[in-house]
Amino acid sequence: MKKKIAHQFFTNYLVVFALVIISTFLAFALLSFASKLASNVFAKNKYPASSIMKDDYKQIDTSQVVQNGGSVQVVDREYRVVVSEGKDVFSKKQLNASEFTEFLVWSKHKSTPFNHDIIYNPKGEFWLIVTFPASIRIDFSFIMNTDAAEGDFGKAVLILIGVVIVYLLVMAVLSIIYAKITALQITVPLRKLCDGTRLLREGDYSARVDLRLDNEFAELQDTFNDMASRIEHEITLRKKAEEDRRRLILDISHDLKNPMASIQGYAELLCQKPDIGEQACREYLKIIHQNSLRANRLLTELFELSRMDSPEFSIKKEKTDLSETLRQLCGELVPQLEQAGFKYEFDIPEKSVFVMLDKDRFSRIIHNLAGNALKYNPEGTIVSVALSVMDRQAVIDFDDDGIGIPAHLAQDIFKPFVRADYSRNSETGGSGLGLSIARKIAQAHSGDLILRETGKKGCNFRITIPLI
Ligand code: ADP
């Protein structure tokens, strides 16, 4: 059965309460024991007036009392102070009846700093007064008088029981209230945390807890909120990945549909009309061939991209002079650029720039960027390639002053199947995978490929590769 925290607290307080009562009784017992001990050790109890009393006051030995800090006075029936040893409590030699009576009343008073032991000797007709300065007073006594009226005892017991019951009730009520208040300090934050957890379980990943506390619960709250935001982040990422995957499948099927439909259509035509003539036949076969090449290229690139995403993917890097490699690659580009009527500028330093490079794959990046520049830009476009070193990185800026990529696509252009032209069966025949593959290759070299926002016309790509 679920046990409420308030009940638990109440039980605890009752136990504490019982312990308090037990310890109070113990304290009383100890006090009475202590007062007994004290009565044996205090000088006033060692030398009471009775211990030195003599019928003839002249024979009274006052020395022990005076040596122990006390004083002795004898007052005869004429109220004359006939003996005064130690501190004089009267400071006169002759008293009158009222003064003496006043002294007797005062001496019984508990607030006096002295303890007076006064005995009257009827034979000698004098009062013997032994005075000690009071040291400590322990006044607790529970006296049962056997001579009291019979009914009084029962009434006293009833009153005592009543007091105890009222005391217990008041303590119980206070314990309940206190238990409730302290329990609330725990149950309220717990409830809020429970609510937050429930919301999270039900899929509300934006759920957060605000306890406005400054204790251990605040730590729990922070941990909970941190956990919730991590989950929220993960879920967002997962949703995005899911969305990307869905879009990828859609794009693949869409991009494969056109060439496949074309191949199928022309192949059927050839089968159904074998006598269409050599010219048309060659034309159809050419279209079939082109479309199969296109489908094949798409599948090859897709395969390559997914291979790069697999954990087993690795590249074979070796120490390479990037200046040398880039000069060679740019040299290979020259005929194509010239043929397309493009202009070019290469700024590659003579000095060696050493990096760890998988040459074949790296050349894929350059060919891809060059291929795109050629594919998407008109005659007369200037392509420029520059190599520099910045912050322990080799930096290759691959720019053209062509049509450029719209700013709203700058972030997504490296995602598979993202194209600026949107006409999927464009004459350019692009798959939309080239830049994705190129970036993955750069990242596999612990570098990156980005599209820079330079404000200049055209595309400004930057490849970075760490120096050795
Ligand atoms: P594709 O196979 O379509 O070329 P990419 O991933 O290589 O795929 O390029 C994605 C898109 O980026 C292209 O379809 C094109 O619209 C745009 N693009 C890439 N490079 C350039 C460039 N140099 N000039 C203009 N547009 C470009």
Side-chain angles (χ1 to χ4, degrees), residues 45 77 112 114 144 149 176 178 206 226 246-247 293 307 315 322 357 420 426 464:
N45 298 323
R77 60 193 192 118
T112 65
F114 297 99
M144 209 176 87
I176 292 172
Y178 191 56
S206 63
D226 188 41
R246 232 169 37 80
R247 197 179 59 83
L293 280 182
R307 215 161 49 119
I315 53 170
L322 191 58
L357 211 67
S426 65
T464 46

Side-chain angles (χ1 to χ4, degrees), residues 368 372 375-377 400 404-405 413 418-420 430-432 434-435 459:
N368 191 279
N372 280 349
K375 243 190 308 189
Y376 300 109
N377 296 302
D400 66 58
I405 290 170
I413 202 72
V418 175
R419 297 176 203 167
S431 61
L435 287 179
C459 286

Side-chain angles (χ1 to χ4, degrees), residues 57-58 60-63 65-66 70-76 80-95 127-131:
Y57 64 78
K58 285 181 187 132
I60 291 174
D61 181 8
T62 59
S63 58
V65 174
V66 176
S71 62
V72 178
Q73 267 79 35
V74 174
V75 176
D76 69 7
R80 275 185 312 222
V81 183
V82 287
V83 174
S84 182
E85 299 289 336
K87 186 184 175 327
D88 188 358
V89 293
F90 297 114
S91 53
K92 328 179 142 168
K93 286 280 166 210
Q94 176 68 61
L95 309 166
W127 284 273
L128 172 63
I129 302 149
V130 175
T131 307

Side-chain angles (χ1 to χ4, degrees), residues 124-139:
E125 294 186 312
F126 63 85
W127 284 273
L128 172 63
I129 302 149
V130 175
T131 307
F132 277 101
S135 48
I136 183 172
R137 175 172 286 128
I138 301 171
D139 266 342

